[in-house]
Amino acid sequence: KKLTSQMLLKRFQKELSIKYSNPTFIGLSFNDTIRKIFTMPATDATLKEAFEIADKCGVPSVNVVTIAIRSYALSKKWSDLKKFILDKNYKSFWPLVVKTALINNNRPFAEEFVNEIASLFNDPLLLEQFNNGEFDNDLGSMPSFQKNFFRKPSLMSFFKIG
């Protein structure tokens, strides 16, 4: 018998609640489950779990990455956010990290991040866009999939945009 995504999620929640002695996983939505994983101490194992749950529930990994960015920002785990994005080399998400930092009033992190990207990857584009104020307007120069993603009304409020 094939399990539905909801049934799989419930099974994963039960496993997580036992593994981490934390019953608050049970009954959460998919997004809240992934968000809860990212608010725990970041380890390779917990990150892997988030992506495995998404994969088995048929949720694209891009959703997990955006939830991770938001979760780290809300819990003020800026160093974890930077490590997560740079370790996985999620280049297409760099603009989202900058925008999220600015939305959450952390301009120093955004500035440090774009300078680090410019030097580490010899990629001055993000730094130029930041210095030109492109992230201070609507959506800066995010890749088109991110622009479309953020134009969905439910996500606008999720990321405090608009």
Side-chain angles (χ1 to χ4, degrees), residues 2 14 25 28 31 33 39 52 58 68 72 75 80 85 103 106 108 112-113 118 141 152 155:
K2 188 173 183 248
K14 185 175 180 182
F25 276 104
L28 296 176
N31 285 1
T33 301
T39 58
E52 283 178 2
Y72 285 139
S75 54
D80 286 348
I85 290 296
I103 289 167
N106 195 346
E112 175 189 314
F113 183 76
S141 57
K152 294 179 181 171
L155 294 169

Side-chain angles (χ1 to χ4, degrees), residues 94-121:
W94 293 349
L96 179 58
V97 170
V98 174
K99 190 69 178 174
T100 301
L102 293 174
I103 289 167
N104 286 278
N105 299 314
N106 195 346
R107 191 170 199 86
F109 173 84
E111 194 165 357
E112 175 189 314
F113 183 76
V114 296
N115 280 299
E116 194 166 334
I117 293 298
S119 65
L120 277 178
F121 297 95

Side-chain angles (χ1 to χ4, degrees), residues 5 25-26 30 33 42 45 53 56-57 66-67 69 72 97 102 106 110 123 129 131 144 149-150 152 159-160 162:
S5 294
F25 276 104
I26 295 177
F30 172 81
T33 301
I53 291 169
K56 291 196 169 96
C57 290
T66 55
I67 291 169
I69 292 168
Y72 285 139
V97 170
L102 293 174
N106 195 346
D123 188 347
Q129 292 169 340
N131 289 335
S144 59
F149 181 81
F150 275 103
K152 294 179 181 171
F159 284 94
K160 293 188 194 170

Side-chain angles (χ1 to χ4, degrees), residues 29-150:
S29 68
F30 172 81
N31 285 1
D32 287 340
T33 301
I34 299 302
R35 204 171 292 122
K36 190 164 198 61
I37 290 172
F38 282 105
T39 58
M40 296 176 0
T43 65
D44 289 340
T46 55
L47 300 182
K48 187 178 176 190
E49 276 178 327
F51 285 97
E52 283 178 2
I53 291 169
D55 181 55
K56 291 196 169 96
C57 290
V59 176
S61 61
V62 66
N63 294 28
V64 176
V65 177
T66 55
I67 291 169
I69 292 168
R70 175 70 172 147
S71 297
Y72 285 139
L74 283 178
S75 54
K76 309 281 188 242
K77 293 181 172 184
W78 298 103
S79 59
D80 286 348
L81 171 56
K82 183 164 67 170
K83 182 179 180 337
F84 171 74
I85 290 296
L86 295 181
D87 282 357
K88 302 293 184 205
N89 195 13
Y90 290 126
K91 185 175 181 170
S92 64
F93 289 95
W94 293 349
L96 179 58
V97 170
V98 174
K99 190 69 178 174
T100 301
L102 293 174
I103 289 167
N104 286 278
N105 299 314
N106 195 346
R107 191 170 199 86
F109 173 84
E111 194 165 357
E112 175 189 314
F113 183 76
V114 296
N115 280 299
E116 194 166 334
I117 293 298
S119 65
L120 277 178
F121 297 95
N122 195 25
D123 188 347
L125 180 63
L126 206 62
L127 179 59
E128 290 168 10
Q129 292 169 340
F130 183 80
N131 289 335
N132 291 337
E134 291 181 39
F135 289 99
D136 297 320
N137 63 24
D138 183 23
L139 293 174
S141 57
M142 290 184 179
S144 59
F145 84 89
Q146 288 182 3
K147 286 181 183 177
N148 292 335
F149 181 81
F150 275 103

